[in-house]
């Protein structure tokens, strides 16, 4: 029996086990780096499977590893563990017991899948061809748990890495892949316009910071249409403006806060220059002073095409070509798996969890979000196939 057939056959024994683990995790959602219940569930399972692990990686992450026959090759899988500050409204028997918190982005499913892979491989470790590292990461939804984990050595010795995310826009039994840029980078923008306050009846004696800001915001959108290659992608959105004291006083100061999403690092840096010029020069033209600061967040997630090929081929053979969706558009949302892919070759793909017949259709970050749990074993099997295929690729290098 081929190794792939062996592991896939073994996987069927643990379908209910994986579902139950996901449900247990779902009941106890926690936020950011504060994940005591979640990490206790995970470490208890790892101990029961006799898998060595280290906790407290990247503050509250967990790093576990199974040794294989060829210990010169290590392939990593990553799952994020944190939840969201949302009140659940699914009426599930395993709904959140932590009021105000919910696994509305499917990280309970990601962790359940990773534990499922660990369970199957540990039960068949004598057949494992290489080392497999399991990365349980905190804080994907907030400040980004990937970088602290990388700093603490989670990628040391890793040759390739795979990650996945549930996707409620895809029917269960399908996966989605993307060559090249899959997710955008994010940069926070904050600019301030300082004018001169005066009575609203005599605006000529002051400098109106609100009028100046309005002109800046309108003009900034022309940067995208006239300074960015039409084949590239940039999104600039401002979500908060504050300034002024009263309806009859010309505002002296206005602060505007927003975000910029880009795919190319070069484009991001060029956009910063143009935004700085726009804020400072328009302010000067109106007699005001303009200041701008940038806060870079997650980088763009760029898949390695040779590993996208691996997922595609495994999806074609396991699920059928009709169930492998090749995305052509970049998701302008962010994902901190990007940091792993900057250090190690690998791929991030999406797993269909939608089921119209069961009315499982709610989007991510929604109070009614849920998954078709038959997707869990699909994710487990895909990741096992990815490990075996990546090993063959790396062995032949």
């Amino acid at each position: 029996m081929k190794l792939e057939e062996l592991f896939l056959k073994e996987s069927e024994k643990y379908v209910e086990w994986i579902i139950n683990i996901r449900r247990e995790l779902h009941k106890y959602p926690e936020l950011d780096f504060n994940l005591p219940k979640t990490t206790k569930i995970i470490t208890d399972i790892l101990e029961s499977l006799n898998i060595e692990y280290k906790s407290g990686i990247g503050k509250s992450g967990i790093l576990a590893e199974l040794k294989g026959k060829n210990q010169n090759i290590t392939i990593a899988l990553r799952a994020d563990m944190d939840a969201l500050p949302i009140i659940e409204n699914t009426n599930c028997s395993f709904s959140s017991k932590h009021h105000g918190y919910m696994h509305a982005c499917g990280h309970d499913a990601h962790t359940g899948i990773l534990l499922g892979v660990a369970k199957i491989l540990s039960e068949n470790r004598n057949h494992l061809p290489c080392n497999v590292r399991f990365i349980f990461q905190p804080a994907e939804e907030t400040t980004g748990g990937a970088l602290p984990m990388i700093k603490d050595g989670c990628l040391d010795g890793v040759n390739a890495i795979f990650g996945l995310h549930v996707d409620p826009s895809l029917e269960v039994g399908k996966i989605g892949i993307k060559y090249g840029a899959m997710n955008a980078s994010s940069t926070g923008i904050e600019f301030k316009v300082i004018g001169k306050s005066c009575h609203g009846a005599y605006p000529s004696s002051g400098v109106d910071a609100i009028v100046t800001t309005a002109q800046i915001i309108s003009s900034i959108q022309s940067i995208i249409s006239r300074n960015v290659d039409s084949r590239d992608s940039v999104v600039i959105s401002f979500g908060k403006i504050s300034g002024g004291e009263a309806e009859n006083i010309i505002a002296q100061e206005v602060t505007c806060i927003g975000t910029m999403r880009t795919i190319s690092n070069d484009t991001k840096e060029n956009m910063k220059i143009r935004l700085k010029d726009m804020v400072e020069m328009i302010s000067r033209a109106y007699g005001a002073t303009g200041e701008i600061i940038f806060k870079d967040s997650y980088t763009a997630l760029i898949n390695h095409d040779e590993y996208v090929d691996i997922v595609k081929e495994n999806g074609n053979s396991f699920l059928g070509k009709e169930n492998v969706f090749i995305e052509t558009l970049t998701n302008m949302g962010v994902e901190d798996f990007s940091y792993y892919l900057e250090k190690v070759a690998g791929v991030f793909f999406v797993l269909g969890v939608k089921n119209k017949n069961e009315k499982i259709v709610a989007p991510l970050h929604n109070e009614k979000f849920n998954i078709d749990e038959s997707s869990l074993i699909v994710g487990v099997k895909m990741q096992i196939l990815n490990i075996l295929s990546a090993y063959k690729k790396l062995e032949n290098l």
Side-chain angles (χ1 to χ4, degrees):
M1 183 184 294
K2 291 182 179 180
L3 209 52
E4 290 85 356
E5 294 174 358
L6 170 66
F7 282 120
L8 293 185
K9 183 179 179 181
E10 287 293 306
S11 301
E12 292 299 325
K13 297 179 182 179
Y14 305 109
V15 172
E16 290 302 316
W17 186 91
I18 296 164
I19 289 173
N20 288 335
I21 293 300
R22 179 258 167 173
R23 292 184 177 186
E24 185 69 7
L25 290 162
H26 189 88
K27 288 189 288 186
Y28 302 104
E30 297 169 309
L31 304 184
D32 200 33
F33 290 97
N34 187 25
L35 309 167
K37 180 67 174 178
T38 303
T39 54
K40 181 67 164 56
I41 292 171
I42 294 168
T43 54
D44 283 351
I45 292 171
L46 293 173
E47 288 176 9
S48 73
L49 298 177
N50 194 27
I51 297 177
E52 294 184 1
Y53 70 88
K54 295 179 180 179
S55 57
I57 306 298
K59 297 183 182 179
S60 56
I62 301 166
L63 206 58
E65 187 161 324
L66 277 171
K67 298 296 184 182
K69 295 177 181 178
N70 184 345
Q71 296 193 15
N72 294 318
I73 294 177
T74 301
I75 297 169
L77 303 180
R78 172 271 209 168
D80 33 19
M81 303 181 289
D82 56 322
L84 290 160
I86 292 174
I87 299 174
E88 183 166 357
N89 184 24
T90 61
N91 295 318
C92 292
S93 60
F94 50 91
S95 290
S96 171
K97 293 182 179 296
H98 291 169
H99 182 71
Y101 298 167
M102 177 189 174
H103 271 296
C105 202
H107 294 186
D108 55 331
H110 304 165
T111 302
I113 288 169
L114 191 53
L115 287 169
V117 175
K119 171 75 170 175
I120 294 156
L121 296 185
S122 67
E123 296 288 351
N124 298 274
R125 65 183 74 200
N126 291 338
H127 299 286
L128 193 60
C130 63
N131 302 332
V132 178
R133 188 170 298 172
F134 306 96
I135 300 172
F136 297 91
Q137 179 204 305
E140 191 281 327
E141 294 289 356
T142 51
T143 53
L147 281 177
M149 292 206 71
I150 292 170
K151 184 178 180 181
D152 280 359
C154 76
L155 293 180
D156 291 355
V158 170
N159 302 98
I161 188 167
F162 293 86
L164 60 76
H165 201 294
V166 295
D167 187 345
S169 71
L170 279 180
E171 289 288 339
V172 65
K174 299 178 182 291
I175 62 168
I177 57 175
K178 173 72 170 64
Y179 286 92
M182 184 170 184
N183 290 79
S185 68
S186 176
T187 300
I189 304 170
E190 180 176 337
F191 73 82
K192 182 181 294 184
V193 174
I194 303 168
K196 181 182 177 182
S197 180
C198 67
H199 196 290
Y202 310 102
S204 60
S205 62
V207 177
D208 195 330
I210 289 178
V211 170
T212 306
T213 300
Q215 187 61 44
I216 291 170
I217 292 172
S218 297
S219 299
I220 279 174
Q221 297 307 317
S222 70
I223 301 175
I224 297 173
S225 64
R226 290 296 176 265
N227 297 129
V228 177
D229 191 311
S230 59
R231 295 163 294 184
D232 200 353
S233 293
V234 176
V235 176
I236 299 176
S237 300
F238 292 102
K240 183 178 180 181
I241 299 176
S242 56
E245 297 178 11
E247 71 275 8
N248 64 340
I249 300 174
I250 296 298
Q252 178 162 311
E253 186 174 304
V254 173
T255 299
C256 190
I257 301 173
T259 183
M260 175 172 66
R261 305 296 174 101
T262 56
I263 297 172
S264 160
N265 282 331
D266 288 341
T267 299
K268 176 170 66 176
E269 295 308 315
N270 289 335
M271 289 298 293
K272 288 180 182 179
I273 294 170
R274 293 294 295 119
L275 285 166
K276 185 175 185 293
D277 288 345
M278 194 76 77
V279 169
E280 292 178 351
M281 292 180 181
I282 290 177
S283 295
R284 191 178 305 128
Y286 279 73
T289 300
E291 305 169 351
I292 188 168
I293 58 173
F294 301 99
K295 184 179 180 181
D296 287 329
S297 182
Y298 295 177
T299 59
L301 191 158
I302 311 296
N303 278 328
H304 296 249
D305 288 354
E306 66 270 29
Y307 284 89
V308 181
D309 285 338
I310 285 176
V311 177
K312 178 183 176 183
E313 290 165 9
N314 287 330
N316 287 344
S317 61
F318 170 47
L319 302 171
K321 291 183 179 179
E322 69 279 9
N323 293 314
V324 178
F325 178 70
I326 302 175
E327 181 61 77
T328 56
L329 299 176
T330 298
N331 184 334
M332 298 310 286
V334 296
E335 164 60 58
D336 77 348
F337 193 80
S338 59
Y339 295 113
Y340 299 112
L341 293 180
E342 288 183 333
K343 303 290 185 181
V344 176
V347 63
F348 194 70
F349 65 100
V350 295
L351 177 71
V353 296
K354 181 180 181 180
N355 188 326
K356 290 182 180 178
N357 294 333
E358 298 295 329
K359 298 182 180 179
I360 300 175
V361 296
L364 297 169
H365 293 217
N366 182 277
E367 63 180 8
K368 293 185 179 295
F369 173 76
N370 203 353
I371 67 167
D372 183 326
E373 291 179 315
S374 65
S375 64
L376 297 172
I377 194 63
V378 176
V380 168
K381 290 180 176 180
M382 279 299 304
Q383 290 291 54
I384 290 174
L385 291 172
N386 292 335
I387 290 168
L388 298 176
S389 297
Y391 172 71
K392 291 177 183 178
K393 172 184 174 62
L394 293 164
E395 186 185 33
N396 293 323
L397 289 179

